[in-house]
Amino acid sequence: MPTDPLVVGRVIGDVLEPFTKSISLRVTYGNKIVNNGCELKPSQVLNKPRVDIGGDDLRNLYTLVMVDPDAPSPSNPTQREYLHWLVIDIPETTGTGFGQEVVAYESPQPTTGIHRFVLVLFRQLRRQAVYAPGWRQNFITRDFAEIYNLGLPVSAVYFNCQKESGPGGRTASRR
């Protein structure tokens, strides 16, 4: 029996409660499709990704949240969760290009260790029912979902990202 990669990657637990995926979510950076646990370099995620949402009813609206539960470092995540992106009012069958970006995309730039970047999709009850928080650090996806009556996620995906090596393949910090 396959194990849920969101459980293996501790996304379920650190960021989300267990949920049942009910809608397809496809996240693409350039020509690279994000699969749970895949490794992306900071240079590959500089620009916001294309996000496609399955389904066929334009009346259904979604909220997309992107967080880093490992900020500033996986061993000491004092800013957990750091909010990297928030898009609301995304119609089903389309993607983030049609939603309202209420927290601008901030590209992942981890400095220490391997960070998980989690994209979570919630179904909204109605248009403009979700608002931007006033901060990025210590954002809590669970609390956010509760405040705005979003319920459990309908889909989620995550990727790993770490600081890129310096020239010659060695890490830039030498002692």
Side-chain angles (χ1 to χ4, degrees), residues 67-148:
V67 294
D68 174 0
D70 302 313
S73 75
S75 59
N76 188 26
T78 56
Q79 294 180 1
R80 170 180 292 173
E81 303 153 30
Y82 188 87
L83 179 64
H84 276 265
W85 199 26
L86 180 60
V87 185
I88 64 166
D89 295 345
I90 307 165
E92 196 167 274
T93 79
T94 62
T96 48
F98 295 92
Q100 182 184 349
E101 190 178 61
V102 291
V103 174
Y105 180 78
E106 185 176 307
S107 62
Q109 296 291 329
T111 53
T112 308
I114 299 172
H115 289 237
R116 296 163 295 164
F117 290 88
V118 184
L119 291 106
V120 188
L121 192 66
F122 293 99
R123 183 157 175 208
Q124 289 177 214
L125 297 176
R126 63 187 185 283
R127 182 172 295 281
Q128 295 181 329
V130 178
Y131 300 95
W135 60 90
R136 288 183 186 257
Q137 66 277 6
N138 304 119
F139 178 86
I140 300 168
T141 302
R142 286 183 184 100
D143 290 357
F144 176 78
E146 191 174 320
I147 289 166
Y148 293 109

Side-chain angles (χ1 to χ4, degrees), residues 26-27 72 127 142 157 166 175:
R26 194 172 100 160
V27 179
R127 182 172 295 281
R142 286 183 184 100
V157 66
R175 292 190 177 164

Side-chain angles (χ1 to χ4, degrees), residues 2 4 6 12 35 39 46-47 76 88 105 110 112 123 131 139 145 159 165-166:
D4 185 339
L6 293 173
I12 302 287
N35 294 309
E39 177 89 22
L46 283 175
N47 300 314
N76 188 26
I88 64 166
Y105 180 78
T112 308
R123 183 157 175 208
Y131 300 95
F139 178 86
F159 63 91
S165 299

